[in-house]
Amino acid sequence: MKLSIIGTGYVGLVTGACLAEVGHEVVCVDNDAAKIKLLTSGGIPIYEPGLEELVKKNAAAGRLSFTTSTAEGVQKSDVIFIAVPTPPQPDGSVDSSFIEKVARDIAAALTDYKIIVDKSTVPVKTGEKVAETIKRYCPATADFEVVSNPEFRREGFAVGDLLKPDRIVIGTRSPRPIEAMKKVYAPFHAPMVVTDINSAELIKHASNSFLALKISYINAIATICEITGANVQEVAAGMGLDERIGRRFLNAGIGFGGSCFPKDLSAFIKIAEEIGYDFRLLKEVQHINAGQMDRFVKKITDTLWVLKDKKIGVLGLAFKQNTDDIRMSPAIELCQRLQKEGALLRVHDPKAMNKARAILKDVTYVEDMNTVTEGCDALVVATEWDEFKQLDLERARKSLSHPIMFDGRNLFDHAEMERLGWVYKSVGR
Ligand code: UDX
């Protein structure tokens, strides 16, 4: 099928590449001319495992192309996906201005029947507003229908998540777009949920909030574990074997971050408020998440006492492993909190150092994780990169003035660390 994706960020570009990979003809549109130039010349603006190969392969096969013209994208395709950002406003509500602008741009380019699909995470009832806007701005002869099709991929695993989705949600009751969307997704062989547009939009906010709730729940249990001498990883293992609960998203740590959970929680709380429901459960999820960072910083100051002029090595800057994304990263927040206390930081991240340089100043960026501890008083683990488990612990122990590690992601085995001579402080163990 002929498809276009408007917006080539973490959602749009991966979606475009994966839809091309299964055989569709995809035009990716972005108003950032520099980004389109980079993509056209074979470059990739973000780090996402497997994405570069997929983009190059499908561009070479002629199934994936790039343009700055929304009109070109609209005219060349039957189904048009909207994948532009929906950033938070200062009060937590969603800024829908990018979606609204794209809706008007699509409207101006409409000539015959098109299906317009919203992939961005949006407040419930946005699809209805998109349809109203397009109708207002399109020529009288144009015809279209709007569908909600939320995206559930995780950064760092986006290619795999998109090629093997656990479900596909199609929000429309109209037969023609249902049939078209089934055709778009037929190669993925995933269960499909066909529902109305408002329910589809709600599925996304309800899912992300539930996952955030799950993380805050285990972080609260981690606090109980610390007070009682229990071990949160063993509690999570015991809970997770119950199929109704599941083990995933039960990793305690310094809290969740990223461009989705914090934003989507605030948005969902605001959406509920606007319709007259006080979503106190989700406010508590936010509260626990913020407290997790406070407790971790306290753990560091309780041990090292005064941080002024103490040298601390930090492993991790990205908001999670396998990505260079530092938006709302707990690791960056932790670095800033330590800097505020006067600590001097040596930091390392396998992929996120370039992006971090723009916002995290006055730190020493270290290319080799095994030298991050040199001349330091303690080591902090802030992101759950698998490769940190390969740290040369003996070398790190010797290069620190005292072998103290604060592990905010529970990457190492507690008993083993103590056996190796570390003062080892983690979360909930
Ligand atoms: C999330 C959703 O998982 C995805 O379905 C949606 O489409 C977008 O939002 P993402 O933000 O890419 O994906 O990352 P995710 O893997 O969910 O992690 C979010 C944050 O939670 C990270 O900071 C991570 O470190 C933290 N986390 C995750 C935990 O602290 N514990 C866990 O058990 C899992």
Side-chain angles (χ1 to χ4, degrees):
M1 292 179 79
K2 291 186 191 324
L3 315 174
S4 62
I5 320 277
I6 303 181
T8 57
Y10 283 91
V11 172
L13 184 57
V14 188
T15 304
C18 291
L19 289 171
E21 175 68 10
V22 297
H24 299 300
E25 244 176 76
V26 182
V27 182
C28 285
V29 183
D30 203 291
N31 60 7
D32 181 342
K35 204 191 251 187
I36 292 300
K37 196 170 162 208
L38 177 74
L39 285 162
T40 311
S41 63
I44 302 287
I46 53 172
Y47 172 73
E48 186 63 51
L51 181 62
E52 187 168 354
E53 296 80 342
L54 218 58
V55 169
K56 284 190 173 149
K57 178 181 156 199
N58 285 286
R63 287 191 297 268
L64 187 61
S65 61
F66 303 96
T67 177
T68 53
S69 162
T70 302
E72 184 187 331
V74 170
Q75 277 142 23
K76 281 188 173 166
S77 51
D78 308 310
V79 182
I80 301 140
F81 290 83
I82 303 176
V84 294
T86 46
Q89 310 205 75
D91 70 350
S93 63
V94 172
D95 174 359
S96 300
S97 59
F98 296 105
I99 302 248
E100 194 267 351
K101 168 80 170 67
V102 168
R104 281 188 283 127
D105 290 348
I106 293 172
L110 278 185
T111 46
D112 49 352
Y113 178 81
K114 304 280 178 188
I115 295 164
I116 292 131
V117 182
D118 176 42
K119 243 194 183 318
S120 304
T121 302
V122 292
V124 58
K125 289 189 161 303
T126 297
E128 289 177 1
K129 292 204 177 77
V130 167
E132 276 167 26
T133 303
I134 297 177
K135 199 162 171 42
R136 199 169 299 141
Y137 289 91
C138 74
T141 50
D143 190 13
F144 70 93
E145 287 182 271
V146 174
V147 179
S148 164
N149 170 225
E151 182 49 60
F152 301 102
R153 96 283 164 271
R154 296 160 300 163
E155 282 180 30
F157 303 91
V159 171
D161 283 355
L162 261 150
L163 290 173
K164 286 197 183 71
D166 48 16
R167 83 286 213 190
I168 286 160
V169 174
I170 299 171
T172 174
R173 290 290 187 212
S174 174
R176 190 167 173 187
I178 291 176
E179 199 188 316
M181 293 300 285
K182 283 188 172 170
K183 239 169 114 184
V184 169
Y185 285 113
F188 296 91
H189 307 291
M192 286 188 196
V193 177
V194 180
T195 179
D196 62 274
I197 194 159
N198 291 336
S199 301
E201 289 168 342
L202 266 177
I203 286 172
K204 175 65 194 228
H205 268 134
S207 300
N208 268 8
S209 298
F210 187 80
L211 290 169
L213 179 149
K214 212 174 164 188
I215 299 169
S216 276
Y217 186 80
I218 203 65
N219 280 333
I221 299 293
T223 302
I224 306 276
C225 286
E226 286 182 10
I227 299 166
T228 57
N231 181 324
V232 75
Q233 275 176 320
E234 288 171 24
V235 174
M239 288 168 63
L241 283 172
D242 184 330
E243 276 181 16
R244 293 168 303 174
I245 298 174
R247 176 63 185 83
R248 295 172 76 190
F249 279 72
L250 284 182
N251 295 320
I254 54 173
F256 56 78
S259 66
C260 294
F261 285 172
K263 165 181 87 99
D264 292 352
L265 268 179
S266 305
F268 207 20
I269 290 168
K270 202 77 196 160
I271 291 161
E273 188 186 304
E274 277 162 17
I275 56 170
Y277 179 67
D278 183 7
F279 216 147
R280 282 190 299 180
L281 178 65
L282 295 188
K283 289 179 183 166
E284 191 53 29
V285 170
Q286 289 181 317
H287 181 70
I288 292 171
N289 200 49
Q292 210 57 17
M293 177 65 76
D294 293 342
R295 245 189 314 281
F296 194 69
V297 171
K298 186 166 183 301
K299 212 170 268 177
I300 298 173
T301 52
D302 278 352
T303 309
L304 299 180
W305 194 15
V306 175
L307 293 192
K308 190 165 182 323
D309 296 334
K310 293 254 165 64
K311 288 198 180 123
I312 300 179
V314 179
L315 284 177
L317 297 168
F319 83 97
K320 63 175 211 177
Q321 68 165 325
N322 277 348
T323 180
D324 62 349
D325 197 345
I326 52 164
R327 289 175 293 172
M328 299 293 285
S329 170
I332 298 277
E333 186 190 336
L334 179 58
C335 287
Q336 289 167 338
R337 297 270 295 257
L338 298 177
Q339 276 186 316
K340 224 169 139 197
E341 298 278 332
L344 306 169
L345 306 182
R346 285 172 61 79
V347 303
H348 168 81
D349 188 281
K351 294 287 174 201
M353 291 206 287
N354 271 346
K355 289 199 170 150
R357 278 189 177 96
I359 58 161
L360 188 64
K361 311 278 185 196
D362 303 319
V363 302
T364 306
Y365 286 92
V366 181
E367 291 300 328
D368 176 1
M369 72 169 174
N370 284 311
T371 61
V372 82
T373 45
E374 267 170 23
C376 288
D377 297 289
L379 173 62
V380 169
V381 178
T383 307
E384 66 272 37
W385 281 95
D386 257 344
E387 52 207 272
F388 293 162
K389 293 180 190 159
Q390 309 310 318
L391 180 75
D392 185 338
L393 285 170
E394 191 49 22
R395 183 171 164 182
R397 199 173 63 84
K398 285 187 181 144
S399 68
L400 286 163
S401 62
H402 304 283
I404 305 175
M405 187 193 292
F406 301 95
D407 183 355
R409 296 295 180 180
N410 289 350
L411 292 190
F412 296 93
D413 182 80
H414 209 287
E416 177 66 5
M417 290 300 281
E418 284 182 351
R419 195 187 63 76
L420 292 172
W422 285 84
V423 174
Y424 178 71
K425 313 236 166 182
S426 54
V427 181
R429 302 185 300 172

